[in-house]
Amino acid sequence: MDAQLEQLAEMFGRAKRIAFLGGAGLSTESGIPDFRSSNGVYAALQAYGRPPEELLSHEFFLRHTDVFFDYYRKYLVHPQAKPNPAHFALARLEQQGKLTAVITQNIDGLHQQAGSRRVLELHGSVYRNHCMRCGKSYPVESVLSADAVPHCDCGGIIKPDVVLYGEGLDPATLTAAVEAVSQADMLLIGGTQLSVYPAAGLVDYFRGRDLAVINLSVTPRDAEAALTIRRPIGEVLAAVVP
């Protein structure tokens, strides 16, 4: 084990309350495209001739629902994806009593599939859907199997419980995330460039001893981190978490 992995193992060893904050980079190792790379989800939007902030907005969803769902089904839902070593390592940390919360910007449900129980999904989940008229819940299959716009038995439109541009985060989820970070003695950041707020701002609530960042590219928090690792997060956590 090299020096960086040994240092991370030491941090895990002394930590009693670890909070994890992760993003799209965690799921790329499961074959899910990230958002901002050359072959990412945003790049695919070019075929629609609209900027991502417009096509993935609440207003666009209401005005051009058929176009929204055409894109959504093609690029944002990945039912074939499976958890990777990073997801399983985080679940093991929770089972060991070390990890108190997974705070994720992802909407793919892979943390739960790996066995994590306390997952705070800041941007919602493709696996939760509801009728905008009567509130009835629907599984993701109801969205995927629809020819165009999925409709409820009552005739209302079925909307995915994902946070679109122009929509606010769930207050209860955000409050729980703030509490998890503020009460942690170690904050592990992984697979995120920390460029999206308010998720990136959660780091400001950390008052613990150890801040570690595992990400392939530079983040705004690297300078204040006790440890920064530029390697795939699945490779790192699999090597450190028994």
Side-chain angles (χ1 to χ4, degrees):
M1 187 179 295
D2 62 34
Q4 284 190 323
L5 298 185
E6 288 179 355
Q7 184 177 352
L8 183 60
E10 290 173 2
M11 289 180 174
F12 285 157
R14 63 176 171 253
K16 297 185 182 301
R17 297 182 63 85
I18 303 171
F20 174 78
L21 175 60
L26 194 77
S27 294
T28 56
E29 295 178 41
S30 292
I32 297 178
D34 65 8
F35 281 82
R36 291 173 174 80
S37 65
S38 59
N39 62 343
V41 174
Y42 279 7
L45 289 168
Q46 295 177 2
Y48 291 80
R50 301 175 185 270
E53 292 80 7
E54 179 184 353
L55 197 148
L56 295 178
S57 69
H58 178 77
E59 182 178 359
F60 189 89
F61 171 82
L62 294 178
R63 292 188 177 184
H64 308 282
T65 313
D66 55 340
V67 179
F68 172 88
F69 273 108
D70 180 69
Y71 174 78
Y72 179 82
R73 279 189 285 260
K74 288 179 180 177
Y75 299 107
L76 291 185
V77 186
H78 303 274
Q80 77 288 347
K82 302 297 181 184
N84 62 59
H87 295 104
F88 288 114
L90 291 168
R92 291 197 299 274
L93 279 174
E94 183 185 51
Q95 293 162 7
Q96 294 166 12
K98 292 279 189 179
L99 185 68
T100 59
V102 167
I103 306 165
T104 181
Q105 300 168 76
N106 298 335
I107 59 176
D108 51 44
L110 293 181
H111 286 291
Q112 291 92 330
Q113 291 182 38
S116 290
R117 290 182 295 178
R118 189 164 191 239
V119 182
L120 303 175
E121 296 172 308
L122 296 175
H123 297 158
S125 171
V126 299
Y127 289 97
R128 295 191 301 273
N129 306 271
H130 72 279
C131 172
M132 298 178 68
R133 178 182 295 176
C134 72
K136 181 179 178 180
S137 296
Y138 281 88
V140 68
E141 289 77 16
S142 297
V143 174
L144 292 176
S145 62
D147 292 333
V149 178
H151 285 87
C152 174
D153 297 334
C154 76
I157 295 174
I158 299 173
K159 181 184 182 297
D161 289 346
V162 298
V163 179
L164 303 176
Y165 285 100
E167 297 179 341
L169 272 61
D170 175 66
T173 302
L174 186 57
T175 297
V178 169
E179 291 178 352
V181 172
S182 62
Q183 295 171 6
D185 56 11
M186 177 181 179
L187 177 59
L188 176 62
I189 299 171
T192 175
Q193 297 180 13
L194 296 175
S195 59
V196 176
Y197 283 81
L202 289 171
V203 186
D204 293 330
Y205 293 93
F206 180 61
R207 297 292 182 269
R209 172 176 177 173
D210 292 321
L211 173 61
V213 177
I214 307 172
N215 199 56
L216 294 177
S217 59
V218 174
T219 81
R221 302 291 181 164
D222 290 356
E224 61 196 87
L227 174 64
T228 302
I229 302 177
R230 298 264 179 270
R231 290 152 70 176
I233 187 170
E235 168 191 315
V236 172
L237 293 184
V240 173
V241 181

